[in-house]
Amino acid sequence: AAVPAPAPATARPSLPVNPYARSGAAAAASSRPPANPYAKTSSTAPTRSAPAASSSASSRSRSQPTTGRWNQGMAAAYAIGAGGGGGNRPLPPPPPDASDNPHATFSQAFGDVEDSDHYRKEVEAIGGSGGASRHDRARAEQRAFDASAAAAAPSPSVPGNVSARDQHIALQPHVLHVSTKQRGNAVLNHIRNVPFSYSTMVPDYIFSPNRCALFLSCKYHNLHPKYIHRRISELRTDFDLRVLLCLVDIEDNASTLLGLNKLCVVNNMTLILAWSNEEAARYLETFKAYESKDASSIQRREQTHFADQVADVLTAARSVNKSDSAQLMSQFGTLRGLMAAPMDELSLCPGIGEKKVRRLYEAFHKPFSSVQARKRRKEKEEAAAKAKKKKNNDDEEDLFM
């Protein structure tokens, strides 16, 4: 039987041709960015030598501060750059860096490293999720400390922002300067004899450029024992006379004052105790009033005249004054004659009574040695005992007779 011929294969219907389709070369050309009509061609662009380009780049890079993320190589690469006219574009400002601030701490200068994903992954790999949480808490505490330190420290870039220590130079000399920390202190209500003003400074009170004082209450010291140590360390070596004015406002104060006394000896300070606010105010007024006077005003003056020297010697005896000294010298003429005179001649001097004569005579003839005094006292007691025994014997004989 004849095999039937296979049915002719039906052709697949062809899709309609897109009249807007482009060839491969045209499509590749269309994927490029449009040419800049204002850009210079390679034939017309001026050629620049390598030394000139490097010198221009180095001059531009020197105008920018060199930080960890902005160095001369990056500045030069940006200055030369790709694209026509790239070397003529101005350099962008460098990113802010905490290392440019001389007062920045270590965590402030390298804080961006801790914000990176790589650093956080390493922390989690070492300590797990608990280590990451502990690390976050430590970072928060450190940043809070840095913020407080930055608020306390003055920034040199801000004009007029001076520290409390620099304020000491501009203080007026005729005023008792009180720190602003002492506002509300009850001691200030009793200062009436000297003018005072509030100032920003390190100590609590400044009497003169080299004399200052710190105020401390014993009750506050028992609650905050580390406070006075910090305040003393802040003084450094700026003052020659450093006074610790302590207000004793507790009953059991022996151990507290003993510790403060030792602290003042170690830190070369003068401890002044005041038992009331009025007394503390008087101390402050006295220190301010005598700021320009030396210690000679309270020291004993050496006499240069002979009459004054003799008066100092004779008035050492009780109840003998300067007028008695002048009368004795006019009576005997010399100190040798006065010391050799017996008690009868001393009693003839007008204005010299029996007590004065006896005390003067003992002062001239009584030995100064305590050993001799004990020996003389013993001899006197033995003589009195012998006299009493003899008297008793005489009485007994009279009875038998």
Side-chain angles (χ1 to χ4, degrees), residues 10 49 62 142 192 225 265 381:
T10 58
S49 59
R62 281 195 300 268
Q142 181 65 30
R192 303 183 181 92
V265 170
E381 291 176 357

Side-chain angles (χ1 to χ4, degrees), residues 160-210:
N161 190 5
V162 249
S163 63
R165 180 167 275 97
D166 297 334
Q167 294 281 355
H168 299 172
I169 305 175
L171 297 180
Q172 299 179 0
H174 63 281
V175 179
L176 172 63
H177 295 279
V178 183
S179 175
T180 53
K181 301 176 183 178
Q182 292 293 309
R183 290 184 182 273
N185 193 341
V187 176
L188 302 178
N189 299 331
H190 303 280
I191 298 180
R192 303 183 181 92
N193 298 326
V194 294
F196 68 92
S197 64
Y198 294 100
S199 304
T200 303
M201 54 191 186
V202 177
D204 293 334
Y205 302 93
I206 291 184
F207 311 117
S208 64
N210 59 344

Side-chain angles (χ1 to χ4, degrees), residues 303 305-339 346 349-353 356 360 364:
Q303 303 294 341
H305 299 286
F306 177 74
D308 296 334
Q309 293 176 352
V310 171
D312 288 342
V313 172
L314 296 180
T315 52
R318 291 180 58 186
S319 69
V320 178
N321 51 35
K322 291 186 177 181
S323 60
D324 297 335
S325 173
Q327 188 67 31
L328 290 170
M329 289 302 298
S330 63
Q331 182 75 18
F332 295 95
T334 61
L335 184 60
R336 183 188 296 271
L338 174 62
M339 296 175 66
L346 291 174
C349 184
I352 306 298
K356 293 182 180 180
L360 281 173
F364 293 148

